[in-house]
Amino acid sequence: MNRTPHPVHPPLSELVALEAAASGLSFLANQPLSSVLAGPHGSRLRGRGLDFAELRRYVAGDDLRRLDLRASLRYGKPFVRSYTEERDRPAMIVVDQRMSMYFGSVRAFKCAVAARLAAIAAWIAYRGGDRVGGLVFDDAGCRAFKPLRSRDRVRALLAEVARANANLSAAQPDAPAAQGLNRALRGALLNAPHDCLVCVISDFAGADEETLRTLRLLAAHNDVLAMLVFDPMAQQLPRSGRLAVTQGELQLEVAVGRQREREPLAHFFSDRLRQVAELLRRSRVPLLSIDTAEDELPQLRRELGKQATAPAGAQRQGARG
């Protein structure tokens, strides 16, 4: 992109322009062994499935694993089952735009990072020949888009992401975090019953045991990928100055230079991030961790196991938390 990405409210034009960034990226199974998508015996994402094509006589060179024993015994000669690869599969992009995402200490807010990740993920699926749909959720509810092999469907999904993002403001009150997250995952379960790629992009604020159960249900019949968006402050608070923390209309300033105030807050942030990461690992879905300090694209390339290009110099920008 020619213009600097918006730190809080990326417009639809910016999300649409990210189609070029999806070039060379893939969610398919042929990932390098170092990729988070690769398990000990291949990918943890199944990729597209196979459709049964026909039952035919065995010929030299056929894969013996496709030998149909029942048909071979019935006809007295070896028969194999042949398959064709599915032409496409549905991809559901689940995007978090709750008030918990309206936070950033450097470069960008979590909500902006999530919006751009959603755009890149949608374009990756579309350019890979898959149907694209999604679910955008905020504190008010969820809006679902049925997967279609259509550029207009991708644009409609991204338009809803941009709309939900633009509605976020410090004047909005928070809603119970777990309620919104679990409602969205239940919606994803209804819209992705089987053989889908489900990409969940969130800070996973409010994740609990119900979140864990729903993720496992999703992963039982789908490929699920979790993108955990977090702010660097969750790992290390600044050692001096005053930190403005907002929650809806409430705002509190904390003198982080004072050890007695800094340490409890640092433990709170780091423990919360650690608990969320541990819960996602327990769900046994591939986890990609993306922070708000660096450009999303090189981070995503690294997490997917691709060779990262050198990131552009990060332009630090103050942001209210």
Side-chain angles (χ1 to χ4, degrees), residues 26-240:
S26 174
F27 292 131
L28 294 181
N30 56 342
Q31 298 288 346
L33 291 178
S34 59
S35 171
V36 71
L37 304 186
H41 302 291
S43 175
R44 290 167 63 187
L45 292 185
R46 290 180 284 267
R48 296 188 182 94
L50 298 175
D51 286 329
F52 173 71
E54 63 176 341
L55 187 68
R56 60 171 175 78
R57 289 278 301 274
Y58 170 84
V59 296
D62 280 339
D63 189 344
L64 292 178
R65 291 174 296 182
R66 295 187 177 177
L67 194 67
D68 190 310
L69 295 178
R70 185 173 297 179
S72 300
L73 289 172
R74 183 185 304 127
Y75 297 111
K77 296 177 181 179
F79 276 77
V80 294
R81 298 171 69 88
S82 64
Y83 298 85
T84 57
E85 188 178 31
E86 289 176 345
R87 295 184 62 186
D88 63 12
R89 65 171 175 179
M92 289 291 296
I93 314 300
V94 182
V95 194
D96 188 349
Q97 290 293 302
R98 295 174 296 165
M99 276 299 296
S100 68
M101 301 289 286
Y102 192 69
F103 177 85
S105 63
V106 290
R107 198 184 76 88
F109 276 32
K110 291 187 290 183
C111 58
V113 171
R116 284 190 281 270
L117 287 173
I120 296 172
W123 287 123
I124 289 174
Y126 175 79
R127 291 169 67 97
D130 291 330
R131 286 170 282 160
V132 179
L135 191 150
V136 184
F137 68 103
D138 54 22
D139 293 311
C142 306
R143 285 154 298 281
F145 294 80
K146 181 181 178 181
L148 292 177
R149 179 75 177 97
S150 163
R151 184 179 293 273
D152 288 341
R153 177 46 48 97
V154 177
R155 288 182 62 94
L157 173 64
L158 299 185
E160 179 58 29
V161 173
R163 186 204 65 80
N165 174 272
N167 283 342
L168 290 171
S169 74
Q172 284 188 334
D174 283 346
Q179 177 180 316
L181 176 61
N182 291 331
R183 179 175 57 211
L185 292 177
R186 289 193 298 269
L189 194 58
L190 289 174
N191 287 278
H194 59 83
D195 298 326
C196 295
L197 168 66
V198 182
C199 182
V200 185
I201 306 167
S202 174
D203 64 354
F204 291 88
D208 57 15
E209 290 300 317
E210 182 183 345
T211 309
L212 178 62
R213 289 192 297 270
T214 311
L215 282 172
R216 285 175 172 171
L217 285 173
L218 268 172
H221 301 289
N222 300 283
D223 289 325
V224 182
L225 185 63
M227 294 189 188
L228 172 60
V229 181
F230 69 96
D231 189 271
M233 192 176 291
Q235 295 180 313
Q236 184 173 3
L237 285 178
R239 306 196 68 86
S240 61

Side-chain angles (χ1 to χ4, degrees), residues 255-273:
V256 291
R258 300 176 184 171
Q259 186 173 358
R260 66 180 182 180
E261 295 182 8
R262 181 178 179 277
E263 284 192 357
L265 195 59
H267 288 316
F268 170 78
F269 280 130
S270 61
D271 286 349
R272 194 168 96 172
L273 180 62

